[in-house]
């Protein structure tokens, strides 16, 4: 029994940081489950190896080996699934940094080969001190960075801004509710504990942009919800706003040229009377460490030109465009005047969407302007500090943009 427990503990300790890093889980139940799973895995491998050796000459024995391996594998799956349903079996945690993982394995190996209890205690103490130092360095680094994440929502937007201090963290739109388990929940699990996202801004007045917010705020009460002053015809939107107000959430209606935290609203103005309703979407200009980010949404060409007329000297480093429903190309003159270093297009990976992005890539931008599309690149993350912007996509693309304000 002691031997089996030692093997189980060794397997759990050895995989602990990797499970947290790649799956964002801490699984104390593994100590108990591994008591059965480790010997069952050994029997499974032995049965598979027997089937491999006997297959050329004794097919019947190979069949028995394969059946045995399948039986034990099914048993392992059954045990894993049922132990995971036990209360407190696992906890979702932010992934540790690579430096913490490296320190953990060095400390674990040193502790294992230590010959006396005194030396083991010293190893534990030094490791704790070093871990606290590394966490402090990581927190200080995060305190100087702003991270903007664009999730690959097929219809609508889901943009998260993790700025220094939780008061400046924002969730913009969110998308339809079916996207929660596929996109939103996996993203939120990986966020550091300092990322709160209790400020929300709804750029549109339709279901596909805001539906997910209702379920989100049940677990994450927001400080406030900012909406457009325009009157949208969507019944779902109007009912949602009424519900938020009834539940005691702070709902604010803001228009250009008002400011909210690091953001300035460029559009719409209080007197705006757009048609269709999509052209009432809120346009935001944010500045982080000297980097200017313009969230231009899916406004039509005329409204884009109107925004430029209101701000004729405006130049930005980054622009976010949402794939428009009618696939009308953006205003070439406006985008060239804005002179961005990179464009992030959010929307669906469809044949029409890909053609729209392809046209944008070929016709409108110079080689110096980088184009990213969540439909094909997946999640796009901007890490902004004083030196510039690090653009990282789920597809593996990385690109650095300089800070032109220096």
């Amino acid at each position: 029994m002691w031997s089996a427990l030692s093997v189980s503990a060794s397997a759990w300790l050895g995989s602990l940081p990797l499970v947290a890093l790649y799956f964002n889980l801490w699984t104390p139940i593994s100590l108990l489950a591994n008591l059965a799973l480790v010997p069952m895995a050994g029997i499974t491998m032995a049965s598979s190896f027997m089937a491999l050796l006997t297959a050329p000459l004794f097919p019947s024995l190979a069949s028995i080996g394969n059946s045995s391996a399948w039986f034990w594998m099914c048993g392992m799956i059954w045990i894993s699934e049922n132990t995971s349903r036990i209360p407190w079996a696992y906890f979702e945690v932010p992934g540790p940094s690579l430096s913490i993982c490296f320190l953990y394995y060095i400390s674990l190996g040193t502790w294992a080969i230590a010959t006396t209890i005194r030396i083991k205690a010293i190893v534990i103490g030094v490791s704790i001190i070093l871990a606290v130092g590394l966490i402090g360095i990581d927190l200080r680094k995060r305190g100087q960075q702003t991270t903007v994440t664009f999730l690959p929502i097929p219809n609508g937007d889901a943009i998260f801004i993790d700025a220094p201090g939780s008061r400046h963290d924002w969730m913009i739109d969110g998308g339809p509710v079916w996207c929660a388990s596929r996109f939103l929940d996996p993203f939120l699990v990986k966020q550091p504990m300092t990322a709160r996202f209790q400020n929300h801004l709804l750029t549109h007045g339709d279901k596909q942009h805001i539906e997910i917010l209702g379920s989100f705020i049940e677990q994450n009460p927001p400080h406030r919800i900012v909406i457009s002053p325009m009157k949208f015809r969507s019944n779902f939107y109007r009912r949602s706003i009424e519900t938020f107000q009834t539940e005691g959430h702070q709902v604010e209606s803001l228009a250009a040229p008002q400011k909210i935290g690091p953001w300035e609203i460029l559009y719409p103005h209080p007197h705006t009377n757009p048609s269709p309703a999509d052209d009432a979407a809120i346009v935001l200009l944010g500045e982080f460490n000297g980097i200017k980010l313009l969230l231009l949404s899916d406004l039509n060409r005329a409204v884009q030109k109107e925004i430029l007329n209101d701000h004729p000297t405006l130049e930005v480093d980054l622009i976010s465009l949402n794939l428009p429903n009618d696939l009308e190309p953006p205003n070439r003159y406006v985008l060239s005047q804005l002179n961005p270093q990179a464009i992030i297009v959010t929307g669906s990976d469809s044949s029409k969407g890909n053609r729209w992005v392809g046209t944008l890539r070929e016709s409108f931008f110079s080689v110096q302007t980088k184009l990213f599309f969540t439909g094909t690149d997946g999640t796009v993350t901007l890490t902004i500090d004083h030196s510039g912007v690090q653009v990282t996509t789920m597809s593996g693309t990385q690109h650095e943009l300089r800070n032109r304000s220096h």
Side-chain angles (χ1 to χ4, degrees), residues 357-375:
V357 173
T359 301
L360 189 67
R361 191 189 306 274
E362 294 171 3
S363 305
F364 289 172
F365 298 106
S366 63
V367 176
Q368 288 75 25
T369 302
K370 304 300 178 183
L371 184 62
F372 304 93
F373 178 37
T374 60

Side-chain angles (χ1 to χ4, degrees), residues 40-168:
M40 291 173 70
I43 298 174
T44 301
M45 294 179 64
S47 300
S48 300
F49 189 62
M50 183 191 77
L52 182 65
L53 292 179
T54 58
L57 299 177
F58 306 100
S60 57
L61 289 178
S63 178
I64 294 174
N66 286 329
S67 299
S68 174
W70 178 252
F71 171 80
W72 292 109
M73 282 190 290
C74 289
M76 292 169 66
I77 293 172
W78 184 88
I79 291 175
S80 299
E81 290 179 344
N82 283 275
T83 54
S84 67
R85 298 189 181 103
I86 297 175
W88 313 105
Y90 65 91
F91 301 89
E92 295 179 337
V93 296
S97 64
L98 292 177
S99 58
I100 291 292
C101 292
F102 181 75
L103 173 63
Y104 174 86
Y105 283 113
I106 292 295
S107 302
L108 184 63
T110 305
W111 180 87
I113 63 176
T115 55
T116 65
I117 295 178
R118 182 173 179 272
I119 296 177
K120 290 180 182 291
I122 292 174
V123 170
I124 293 174
V126 172
S127 299
I128 291 174
I129 293 172
L130 292 176
V132 171
L134 289 174
I135 292 173
I137 293 173
D138 185 57
L139 290 175
R140 182 180 179 183
K141 183 178 179 181
R142 289 181 182 274
Q144 299 172 345
Q145 292 179 338
T146 296
T147 302
V148 183
T149 305
F150 301 84
L151 298 185
I153 303 297
N155 297 298
D157 269 327
I159 304 172
F160 292 84
I161 297 91
D162 179 12
S166 59
R167 291 184 305 162
H168 302 303

Side-chain angles (χ1 to χ4, degrees), residues 92-253:
E92 295 179 337
V93 296
S97 64
L98 292 177
S99 58
I100 291 292
C101 292
F102 181 75
L103 173 63
Y104 174 86
Y105 283 113
I106 292 295
S107 302
L108 184 63
T110 305
W111 180 87
I113 63 176
T115 55
T116 65
I117 295 178
R118 182 173 179 272
I119 296 177
K120 290 180 182 291
I122 292 174
V123 170
I124 293 174
V126 172
S127 299
I128 291 174
I129 293 172
L130 292 176
V132 171
L134 289 174
I135 292 173
I137 293 173
D138 185 57
L139 290 175
R140 182 180 179 183
K141 183 178 179 181
R142 289 181 182 274
Q144 299 172 345
Q145 292 179 338
T146 296
T147 302
V148 183
T149 305
F150 301 84
L151 298 185
I153 303 297
N155 297 298
D157 269 327
I159 304 172
F160 292 84
I161 297 91
D162 179 12
S166 59
R167 291 184 305 162
H168 302 303
D169 295 344
W170 285 85
M171 172 182 173
I172 299 178
D173 294 331
V177 72
W178 67 265
C179 292
S181 60
R182 183 174 178 184
F183 300 109
L184 186 62
D185 293 344
F187 164 76
L188 292 174
V189 165
K190 296 180 180 180
Q191 299 313 296
M193 297 181 68
T194 54
R196 302 296 298 275
F197 304 119
Q198 292 184 333
N199 299 306
H200 300 265
L201 188 142
L202 306 180
T203 63
H204 289 67
D206 58 62
K207 186 176 181 178
Q208 68 181 9
H209 280 84
I210 73 165
E211 184 182 19
I212 207 170
L213 181 59
S215 58
F216 180 85
I217 64 176
E218 290 178 0
Q219 300 176 347
N220 303 274
H223 292 154
R224 58 179 172 175
I225 302 171
V226 177
I227 62 174
S228 170
M230 301 297 101
K231 303 299 182 182
F232 296 99
R233 291 179 294 179
S234 168
N235 291 327
F236 179 85
Y237 175 80
R238 293 201 299 269
R239 288 197 305 269
S240 297
I241 299 303
E242 291 173 359
T243 300
F244 298 151
Q245 292 172 328
T246 302
E247 293 176 349
H249 302 299
Q250 182 182 351
V251 179
E252 302 177 56
S253 176

